[in-house]
């Protein structure tokens, strides 16, 4: 059984990755219902929190049904990170996660996210200070290194553990790779196989089928899988992985009716949480995957992602349910 601090997260837990404009409360709720063991918020700027920026503060919203839930923050300034820890604590999460892995330029250029991989000593000292500043378990999400020539993840993980990190999630790419090429899980396995490591080591990157999740568990020996892109618009992925683990068989994919119901719920929860304009806009990225595999679907998808009126989007859902009621998805 894997444990994050005193929190039992089960045998080979499936974790919903923190994803900007994706892993918000509505989507986290759907993933939790479908078997996600731990969910993380979108990553939140420490500078935004201490400035009381509305978008950053809104991301602190968490709900009892999500637990265990982690709030992820990023930054490179010690004072700002410590102040943000105090703000995060007040929201009552189970876990505080530090983002040392985001590869996007606007984050990296400030020395935050994966940018800190250029300064491992700062990465370790920030983690140590945050661990000492809170009673909540602190976890870390990072990448293999800045580039291929600077991969020191075995050493880095051990040092983070030694200053008090309670778990580490590692994306199997370097910052330089961004999301290109294939994730390399071998260095993550080296971290896990380090005899000095005793905290959970979770793998991330390219876990896009139940078979790949099983490979991460059985061939690489990791403690759990953090799921990102495979879950976007497809919260059933968690349930499918667990069914495969239990039976060795693929679960039948969700029907049109189930997909429409989920999409409707997702959109309605998004509107309830962030208002109609943002709710309609930010849920669009999920629709391609909700209805992936349906032939001649472009007309309906276009309507879904271009309409600003929620009534029109709901009408398209109804049209899809009626038009494709007999369509069967192939697993």
């Amino acid at each position: 059984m894997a444990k994050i601090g005193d929190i039992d997260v089960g045998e080979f837990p499936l974790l919903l990755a923190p994803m900007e404009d994706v892993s918000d409360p509505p989507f986290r709720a759907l993933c939790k219902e479908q078997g996600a063991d731990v969910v993380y918020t979108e990553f939140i700027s420490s500078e935004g929190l201490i400035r009381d920026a509305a978008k950053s503060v809104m991301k602190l919203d968490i709900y009892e049904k999500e637990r265990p839930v982690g709030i992820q923050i990023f930054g490179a300034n010690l004072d700002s990170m410590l102040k943000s820890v105090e703000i995060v604590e007040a929201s009552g999460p189970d876990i505080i996660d530090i983002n040392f892995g985001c590869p996007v330029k606007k984050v990296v250029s400030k020395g935050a996210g994966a940018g800190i991989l250029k300064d491992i000593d700062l990465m370790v000292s920030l983690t140590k200070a945050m661990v000492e500043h809170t009673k909540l378990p602190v976890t870390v999400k990072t990448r293999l290194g800045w580039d291929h020539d600077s991969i020191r993840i075995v050493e880095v993980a051990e040092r983070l553990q030694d200053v008090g990190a309670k778990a580490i999630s590692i994306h199997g790419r370097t910052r330089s790779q961004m999301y290109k090429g294939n994730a390399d899980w071998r260095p993550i396995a080296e971290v896990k196989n380090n005899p000095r490591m005793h905290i959970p080591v979770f793998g991330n990157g390219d876990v896009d089928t139940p078979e790949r999740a099983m490979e991460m568990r059985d061939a690489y020996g990791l403690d759990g899988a953090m799921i990102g892109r495979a879950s976007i618009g497809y919260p059933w992925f968690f349930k499918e992985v667990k069914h495969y683990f239990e039976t060795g068989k693929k679960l039948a994919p969700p029907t049109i009716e189930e997909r429409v119901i989920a999409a409707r719920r997702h959109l309605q929860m998004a509107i309830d949480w962030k208002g109609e304009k943002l709710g309609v806009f930010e849920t669009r990225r999920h629709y391609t995957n909700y209805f992936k595999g349906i032939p001649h679907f472009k007309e309906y998808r276009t309507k879904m992602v271009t309409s600003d009126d929620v009534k029109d989007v709901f009408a398209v859902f109804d049209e899809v349910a009626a038009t494709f009621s007999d369509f069967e998805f192939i697993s």
Side-chain angles (χ1 to χ4, degrees):
M1 291 291 180
K3 296 187 75 172
I4 300 176
D6 294 329
I7 304 169
D8 187 344
V9 292
E11 184 177 352
F12 200 81
L14 304 179
L15 301 82
L16 173 64
M19 293 178 282
E20 177 74 354
D21 294 331
V22 173
S23 46
D24 57 12
F27 186 59
R28 297 198 304 266
L30 292 170
C31 291
K32 195 73 178 182
E33 290 172 9
Q34 295 295 331
D37 296 293
V38 183
V39 295
Y40 285 90
T41 64
E42 305 168 70
F43 65 83
I44 307 173
S45 164
S46 58
E47 301 295 338
L49 283 181
I50 65 175
R51 292 196 311 269
D52 201 29
K55 187 172 183 180
S56 295
V57 173
M58 188 177 185
K59 292 177 182 178
L60 293 173
D61 288 353
I62 57 175
Y63 301 90
E64 285 300 312
K65 61 186 177 183
E66 300 183 73
R67 298 190 185 278
V69 56
I71 291 179
Q72 189 190 71
I73 54 178
F74 73 92
N77 179 276
L78 178 58
D79 288 341
S80 298
M81 289 291 274
L82 294 183
K83 289 176 183 175
S84 68
V85 165
E86 297 169 7
I87 297 169
V88 166
E89 275 187 323
S91 295
D94 302 289
I95 301 161
I96 295 178
D97 190 69
I98 314 173
N99 183 317
F100 290 145
C102 177
V104 301
K105 187 176 181 180
K106 68 178 181 179
V107 173
V108 169
S109 63
K110 298 174 182 176
I116 208 166
L117 288 166
K118 287 185 172 182
D119 190 344
I120 300 303
D121 289 342
L122 176 59
M123 183 184 192
V124 173
S125 64
L126 268 178
T127 304
K128 182 176 187 292
M130 291 178 68
V131 167
E132 293 173 348
H133 204 66
T134 181
K135 294 181 180 178
L136 292 173
V138 173
T139 60
V140 168
K141 184 174 189 292
T142 189
R143 286 185 168 231
L144 300 179
W146 177 257
D147 57 26
H148 183 267
D149 297 325
S150 62
I151 295 177
R152 298 162 51 195
I153 191 61
V154 175
E155 171 202 342
V156 170
E158 187 177 311
R159 291 180 65 184
L160 293 171
Q161 171 188 261
D162 290 349
V163 296
K166 299 302 183 186
I168 184 168
S169 301
I170 305 170
H171 184 104
R173 290 181 176 86
T174 63
R175 190 275 165 175
S176 296
Q177 285 180 271
M178 299 295 285
Y179 293 99
K180 297 176 182 176
N182 297 318
D184 186 357
W185 298 347
R186 292 172 299 177
I188 312 176
E190 290 177 25
V191 173
K192 175 60 185 174
N193 292 329
N194 177 358
R196 288 206 66 249
M197 289 297 290
H198 55 79
I199 62 173
V201 178
F202 303 127
N204 176 231
D206 296 355
V207 186
D208 50 13
T209 65
E211 293 92 336
R212 289 286 276 160
M214 181 172 280
E215 182 183 5
M216 181 173 274
R217 184 190 70 176
D218 296 347
Y220 289 83
L222 303 185
D223 293 303
M226 180 171 275
I227 312 298
R229 288 178 288 175
S231 68
I232 298 176
Y234 202 80
W236 301 277
F237 186 76
F238 299 94
K239 183 178 181 180
E240 290 179 355
V241 171
K242 290 190 170 182
H243 180 83
Y244 190 74
F245 282 177
E246 292 170 4
T247 67
K249 298 178 181 179
K250 289 285 197 76
L251 188 66
T255 63
I256 280 286
E257 182 182 10
E258 290 170 321
R259 291 167 192 252
V260 169
I261 289 172
R264 289 182 68 95
R265 285 187 61 213
H266 191 164
L267 178 55
Q268 187 60 59
M269 287 191 291
I271 291 168
D272 293 343
W273 181 59
K274 62 184 89 173
E276 181 172 329
K277 184 175 180 180
L278 268 181
V280 169
F281 178 73
E282 293 188 354
T283 311
R284 288 173 176 171
R285 71 189 65 232
H286 293 268
Y287 297 145
T288 296
N289 283 354
Y290 270 127
F291 303 106
K292 186 175 182 179
I294 302 176
H296 313 299
F297 196 73
K298 184 177 180 180
E299 172 191 348
Y300 302 95
R301 183 168 56 247
T302 300
K303 290 179 184 178
M304 289 177 186
V305 301
T306 56
S307 175
D308 294 324
D309 190 319
V310 64
K311 293 180 182 177
D312 291 341
V313 180
F314 281 137
V316 178
F317 290 157
D318 291 340
E319 190 177 354
V320 168
T323 304
F324 299 99
S325 60
D326 295 330
F327 182 78
E328 292 186 7
F329 291 88
I330 300 173
S331 59

